[in-house]
Amino acid sequence: MSRAWKNSSSCDDENDGNASCSTRAQNENPDELDHEIAQLTKLRSGPHELLGRDLPGRLKRPVSTVKMLVGREGNYSGRGRFSTADGCHVLSRYLPVNGPTTVDRMKSRAYISQFSTDGTLFVAGYQGNLIRIYNVEKGWKTQKNVVTKGMRWTITDTCLSPDQRFLVYSSMSPIVHIVDVGSATTDSLANITEIHDGLDFSGSDDDYDEFGIFSVKFSTDGREVVAASSDNSIYVYDLPTNKCSLRIAAHRDDVNTVCFADDTGHLIYSGGDDHLCKVWDRRCFISKGQAAGVLMGHVEGITFIDSRGDGRYFISNGKDQTTKLWDIRKMSSNVTYNVRLRDPEWDYRWMEYPIHARNFQHPHDRSLATYKGHSVLRTLIRCYFSPEYSTGQKYIFTGSADCSVYIYDLVSGAQVATLDHHGGLVRDCSWHPYYPMIVTSAWDGLISKWEFPGRSAPPAQLRRRSRRQTLYEDFGF
């Protein structure tokens, strides 16, 4: 069952005492992130002040949904309807904490759980050489079983193309495979029932057997795939020409995560075991041959990066048991590598994080905020911004080695909910882009679904409507 530190209808209230967040602004205002992103988040997820105002009086938070409906009917805002921000204010308060409902159960560990960009498909990747694609609109019916090829240890990452026609999957191998998701074949057995084309990312021949891909992402136009590798490099693969178009010797250790910063594809974020986050601008890389900037703050390796999608902000999970929020305008060209307090023999794969290192802060920390409470151990656990459409990206959420999912308020840092159910660590989790639903994948082999209000049947609006005719219509937005 879920353990919510605050009621989902009042998660805008004062910070919970169990939550932990540190920011550069806390000396003056310990409860709020004093930065531009805080104001942007409030603009995206806050109601029009006239819809929530008692006359006479002042705006109170959180604003009652009933009060907002009365304000809309009275046309207090002068618009006669709810804005997108008004809708986010309502929907973001109803956290998907009810459940869970079991979507699927396997005998092998579940590593990947990802919705497609429109929420109609869901991809789950298992250690046992299987990727399963579910049709959310058809009651989570299995649309495709992909039996993978050339796996080493496990599937490390998957990604659907923007048009949802192709899927790429990676492993501890230099070959990333691509499969046609849109074909009529339900059981896609590599090179038997379907061809799984191989994209060769191999570095030098000497390290071929040790080479692995930890992260793969499609560009927005679907023409490129960017990959993070164990040879300390980032690769960009050009699909029309079927070859690697760029290799960047990016970090001093394994590159665990990489993603495009925005829709343009010019900026790339990367994170590695050298505990650094880096920003790469491909428009000037050829002339400079180096990163556009470096962001320091983690004292252990980076396991995952998620971009806010605006080319400015991103979050990262670190093996120092924290999630950090970054603004690339604070990046530096100077790098400090030798910042560690713990035993150099410590290995996050099978050892607990040293107690004496938990409160250590990087002397050159350039992050905007640090969120603590979850556990990043054993594997490359992932963190994300909540959806823009329904929450205004008001929250960040992350899997955890303690078998839970943690949800934090981006601005206040409050831990607003914890989802407890699994019997193994939660490596990945995904929030539906339009509906209040989170799906988790864990090492107990379970794919589990959390919702608000919580129903076993697929949402009716997903079955009947296009993705743009969403919950907002039900509220008259």
Side-chain angles (χ1 to χ4, degrees), residues 102-343:
T102 298
V103 173
D104 212 341
R105 181 191 299 267
M106 293 289 171
K107 293 182 179 180
S108 63
R109 295 170 173 176
Y111 271 71
I112 304 296
S113 56
Q114 287 297 299
F115 281 107
S116 61
T117 54
D118 65 0
T120 60
L121 300 178
F122 182 82
V123 179
Y126 300 89
Q127 189 174 20
N129 288 17
L130 176 66
I131 300 170
R132 183 161 284 177
I133 301 174
Y134 306 86
N135 192 312
V136 179
E137 293 185 324
K138 295 182 178 180
W140 293 86
K141 179 182 178 181
T142 300
Q143 179 164 309
K144 204 172 194 68
N145 285 312
V146 180
V147 181
T148 61
K149 175 187 178 183
M151 289 292 98
R152 291 181 182 172
W153 177 245
T154 186
I155 296 166
T156 54
D157 203 4
T158 65
C159 187
L160 279 170
S161 61
D163 60 5
Q164 298 179 190
R165 180 179 175 184
F166 297 101
L167 175 83
V168 290
Y169 61 87
S170 64
S171 180
M172 294 304 297
S173 162
I175 307 298
V176 170
H177 291 91
I178 185 168
V179 58
D180 187 350
V181 174
S183 68
T185 303
T186 301
D187 294 316
S188 179
L189 183 59
N191 295 350
I192 296 178
T193 61
E194 279 190 321
I195 298 298
H196 293 197
D197 290 324
L199 313 179
D200 191 353
F201 286 83
S202 60
S204 64
D205 295 336
D206 295 338
D207 60 5
Y208 187 91
D209 291 336
E210 303 297 327
F211 190 101
I213 301 291
F214 295 111
S215 177
V216 287
K217 295 290 183 293
F218 270 104
S219 60
T220 305
D221 61 9
R223 296 174 61 87
E224 293 180 318
V225 173
V226 63
S229 73
S230 62
D231 72 342
N232 312 346
S233 301
I234 297 169
Y235 291 85
V236 177
Y237 198 97
D238 186 83
L239 292 173
T241 62
N242 196 30
K243 65 179 181 180
C244 276
S245 59
L246 180 64
R247 176 182 181 268
I248 303 172
H251 291 261
R252 290 191 175 185
D253 211 329
D254 290 351
V255 185
N256 295 322
T257 178
V258 66
C259 66
F260 289 101
D262 55 21
D263 290 345
T264 67
H266 296 314
L267 292 180
I268 295 174
Y269 301 146
S270 67
D273 274 339
D274 56 4
H275 67 257
L276 298 176
C277 297
K278 292 189 176 183
V279 181
W280 307 89
D281 190 338
R282 293 201 288 167
R283 292 167 295 186
C284 59
F285 179 77
I286 296 177
S287 60
K288 291 186 176 181
Q290 60 186 10
V294 179
L295 289 156
M296 295 176 287
H298 284 291
V299 294
E300 298 294 345
I302 316 299
T303 65
F304 196 74
I305 285 176
D306 185 44
S307 173
R308 191 168 178 264
D310 54 11
R312 182 171 295 176
Y313 301 103
F314 66 91
I315 56 173
S316 61
N317 247 3
K319 298 176 184 178
D320 54 8
Q321 316 305 297
T322 67
T323 298
K324 286 183 176 289
L325 172 67
W326 307 92
D327 180 347
I328 69 170
R329 292 172 297 182
K330 291 182 174 289
M331 61 189 180
S332 171
S333 58
N334 299 318
V335 181
T336 302
Y337 285 98
N338 56 347
V339 181
R340 291 191 177 185
L341 266 189
R342 51 89 173 164
D343 186 337

Side-chain angles (χ1 to χ4, degrees), residues 86-95 390 434 471-472 475 477:
D86 295 331
C88 283
H89 181 74
V90 174
L91 293 178
S92 66
R93 290 158 54 194
Y94 300 102
L95 296 177
S390 59
Y434 303 107
L471 269 173
Y472 291 150
F475 285 97
F477 297 172

Side-chain angles (χ1 to χ4, degrees), residues 2 8 95-101 419 438 449-455:
S2 67
S8 62
L95 296 177
V97 297
N98 292 345
T101 301
L419 310 182
I438 290 177
K449 177 177 61 174
W450 308 76
E451 294 181 271
F452 185 93
R455 298 178 300 186

